[in-house]
Amino acid sequence: MAGIPEEVIEAYASAGYDVLAMTDHHQVNDVTQWDNKGMIIIQGAELHPILTPERSKWHLVALNLPLDFKCLRPFEPGESAQEVIDAVAAAGGITSVAHPHWCAFSSADIKELKNYYSMEVYNTECEYYGRAYSEQ
């Protein structure tokens, strides 16, 4: 759903949603500036730690992040996915692993991760690449 935040919030509120997460890539935006239309609005970010220069990057959705959260080196190898998950937890947030199959991660890669709260198992956008389901 495209649009400025006010339009997105209004659309979801009108559709009867109770909670909306407002996330952006590698930055946390202050959600208190928008009228919540009676919903709970959670601020967060999508973070992309890179496994290795030869491999894909993880897509991690972190929620309940403070505004001063330092989004760790997004475009270069550095922090591992686990280090990012741990940093999010230390800041009071929670992490979801987004579309791991589309990102070319295996069950063995995911098995190594600890303390994330959910994993996306289907993504309609990934359907165009034949990787909509995160199953192997």
Side-chain angles (χ1 to χ4, degrees):
M1 174 179 282
I4 59 175
E6 292 86 355
E7 292 172 349
V8 173
I9 293 166
E10 180 63 39
Y12 280 97
S14 296
Y17 284 82
D18 297 317
V19 180
L20 180 65
M22 301 289 280
T23 63
D24 201 349
H25 293 259
H26 314 294
Q27 65 182 19
V28 181
N29 296 305
D30 183 0
V31 300
T32 62
Q33 62 187 303
W34 298 303
D35 181 351
N36 65 11
K37 306 291 182 196
M39 292 188 303
I40 296 169
I41 300 181
I42 303 169
Q43 61 195 28
E46 184 168 331
L47 307 173
H48 300 134
I50 298 174
L51 185 60
T52 69
E54 299 80 31
R55 292 282 308 276
S56 181
K57 60 188 173 188
W58 290 93
H59 288 202
L60 303 175
V61 178
L63 300 178
N64 198 38
L65 293 175
L67 290 173
D68 64 349
F69 183 78
K70 302 295 182 224
C71 296
L72 311 171
R73 290 183 263 175
F75 298 110
E76 62 185 65
E79 287 82 9
S80 69
Q82 188 62 60
E83 288 171 313
V84 172
I85 292 168
D86 293 344
V88 168
I94 57 176
T95 305
S96 178
V97 178
H99 39 267
H101 184 55
W102 180 76
C103 294
F105 290 108
S106 69
S107 295
D109 294 320
I110 296 163
K111 182 179 176 186
E112 299 301 314
L113 298 179
K114 306 289 185 241
N115 302 320
Y116 59 91
Y117 80 98
S118 68
M119 181 184 331
E120 182 180 54
V121 296
Y122 180 79
N123 183 301
T124 57
E125 186 69 23
C126 299
E127 195 170 298
Y128 298 108
Y129 305 101
R131 292 176 176 246
Y133 289 96
S134 285
E135 60 187 22
Q136 299 166 27

